[in-house]
Amino acid sequence: MTLFPFFEDIENKSFLIVGGGKVAKEKKDKLSLFTDKITVVAENTELTGVHVIKRKFKESDIDAADVVICASDDNELNSHIAALCRKKNIPVNVADNPSLCTFIFPALIKQGDLTVGIATAGKSPVYSAYIKKEFEKVIPDNTEKIIDELWLLKNQLKYTVPKQSERAKILKKKLSELFL
């Protein structure tokens, strides 16, 4: 699997999670950092904070979804849903089966507007999680303040400093001052 990390605007996207156990909860928790447009379809689940439909999956469930996550413990069902999604060009993630995925969930760090995704092409989520913990140690607590101040300065410089290379120097200097 060859993966390119890009960030996509999901503001108007709806997500479907099929399954209601521990893995579904992990996926829901990650998505919930970014959106509340999540529907879970599962016969048995204790998941909360999202729209939950307690019943078996129906093929028509994917019709309203922009992205589908298969997190059931039924491999046959997960494979079937992945095939349906591929046929309809709907991005799909199948937990613990990268070969059926069109995208994977990286290990995520989210602090305000800072988002870091760490992936190993689905080969070693445990290593991604380890690297995530190491990165979290070096990200300053005031990250949101740093981002906001740099954004404000960047917008001001657009009107006062014509050369991008000069703006970049000023922003780098400000960044180093914010870390003091």
Side-chain angles (χ1 to χ4, degrees):
M1 176 181 273
T2 302
L3 300 173
F4 179 83
F6 66 90
F7 291 86
E8 181 176 347
D9 181 1
I10 63 165
E11 188 170 346
N12 295 310
K13 304 247 178 175
S14 60
F15 292 80
L16 171 67
I17 300 174
V18 180
K22 181 183 174 218
V23 174
K25 181 184 182 320
E26 290 171 3
K27 303 293 185 179
K28 184 222 35 134
D29 290 347
K30 283 184 179 185
L31 282 172
S32 294
L33 296 171
F34 300 90
T35 184
D36 61 355
K37 295 177 181 155
I38 303 168
T39 299
V40 173
V41 173
E43 288 184 82
N44 300 304
T45 186
E46 301 301 319
L47 292 180
T48 60
V50 294
H51 180 229
V52 176
I53 302 171
K54 288 192 174 189
R55 63 162 166 73
K56 286 185 177 182
F57 169 81
K58 295 179 188 176
E59 288 187 8
S60 60
D61 289 334
I62 68 169
D63 293 339
D66 295 302
V67 179
V68 175
I69 294 96
C70 302
S72 82
D73 56 3
D74 182 337
N75 292 332
E76 212 171 289
L77 175 63
N78 290 342
S79 294
H80 177 68
I81 295 169
L84 289 172
C85 289
R86 284 180 183 272
K87 195 181 283 187
K88 294 186 177 200
N89 291 317
I90 299 171
V92 62
N93 174 272
V94 180
D96 296 327
N97 197 335
S99 66
L100 295 177
C101 297
T102 60
F103 74 95
I104 63 165
F105 274 76
L108 285 172
I109 299 170
K110 178 100 171 95
Q111 287 189 20
D113 288 330
L114 175 70
T115 302
V116 179
I118 303 159
T120 58
K123 291 180 179 177
S124 182
V126 70
Y127 186 62
S128 295
Y130 169 78
I131 295 297
K132 171 191 169 183
K133 286 187 190 285
E134 294 301 307
F135 274 26
E136 286 175 325
K137 293 175 187 175
V138 298
I139 296 173
D141 292 336
N142 65 338
T143 291
E144 191 65 17
K145 180 182 178 216
I146 291 170
I147 291 170
D148 288 344
E149 286 193 35
L150 290 171
W151 181 76
L152 286 171
L153 179 58
K154 176 183 164 195
N155 286 325
Q156 292 168 355
L157 293 174
K158 284 180 188 177
Y159 303 105
T160 58
V161 180
K163 283 186 162 184
Q164 196 286 326
S165 60
E166 290 300 316
R167 292 192 303 263
K169 286 179 188 175
I170 294 168
L171 287 166
K172 286 178 185 175
K173 181 177 185 235
K174 179 65 174 181
L175 176 61
S176 65
E177 291 169 5
L178 290 169
F179 271 97
L180 294 178

